[in-house]
Amino acid sequence: RSLSPRTSAPPMELDTFLYYWDESDGPQWQGWWITPDHVGNDRFFAFSRGAAASPDECRSWRGGDRSIDMCVASLGGGAMGVRASGLGFEGVYERESEERGHGRPAFRRTRDLTAAEAARIDAASAAAPSTVVYSQQMTLADLPSSSEEAPAAIAVGVP
């Protein structure tokens, strides 16, 4: 299976989905995806690798071989807001089902964001750590033992 990023903005009538794909096809496919037309499409707009329980926990999104400036935030009531200025898939994604998302909910884009929703997502994005540093010289054992000793805006993860 090969994937190709879709770089053009989708027409408004195009269905767009946000869903989780597990590691059953290999660890390189595990993560949250935004794809046109249907869940599991081999063309995609955005991908966040990993096992995050919800797409609003994802901090790093890619569109093919490049990072994209994007944020997902819960809007309540089973809806997720996707903020991706200039990219045609930005909008509100309503919860569709559990089964189509490999045990996690799948979401379908239903409408554009309101100005208030966009501002709420921007605020959530500003509150999240924005820099992740991976180092081969440092391990988790090298980090300060208490959160009081650690700088406030550091996120540590394992790729």
Side-chain angles (χ1 to χ4, degrees):
R1 176 177 171 176
S2 65
L3 293 177
S4 58
R6 185 175 174 132
T7 56
S8 61
M12 290 307 289
E13 68 273 2
L14 183 67
D15 280 337
T16 306
F17 295 87
L18 167 64
Y19 60 92
Y20 178 78
W21 199 266
D22 67 21
E23 73 283 352
S24 61
D25 293 326
Q28 70 274 23
W29 309 114
Q30 182 181 19
W32 286 91
W33 295 84
I34 295 182
T35 62
D37 302 324
H38 62 274
V39 169
N41 194 341
D42 62 357
R43 296 187 54 92
F44 69 101
F45 296 119
F47 170 62
S48 182
R49 185 179 313 270
S54 177
D56 57 342
E57 295 174 9
C58 300
R59 298 291 173 248
S60 174
W61 290 87
R62 302 201 55 84
D65 61 354
R66 63 181 169 78
S67 292
I68 56 176
D69 186 18
M70 180 176 144
C71 182
V72 178
S74 174
L75 299 176
M80 292 287 169
V82 174
R83 186 83 157 115
S85 295
L87 302 175
F89 57 84
E90 179 177 275
V92 175
Y93 289 70
E94 299 285 337
R95 185 180 185 139
E96 188 172 74
S97 68
E98 292 286 339
E99 306 80 46
R100 294 177 69 184
H102 283 242
R104 298 186 188 166
F107 302 85
R108 179 190 301 248
R109 187 185 185 282
T110 56
R111 62 179 174 81
D112 292 337
L113 293 165
T114 65
E117 289 166 336
R120 186 167 149 197
I121 295 169
D122 290 344
S125 177
S130 60
T131 302
V132 177
V133 177
Y134 296 106
S135 171
Q136 294 180 344
Q137 289 83 36
M138 188 171 166
T139 69
L140 292 175
D142 298 323
L143 293 176
S145 59
S146 75
S147 61
E148 294 172 2
E149 299 172 36
I154 292 181
V156 176
V158 177

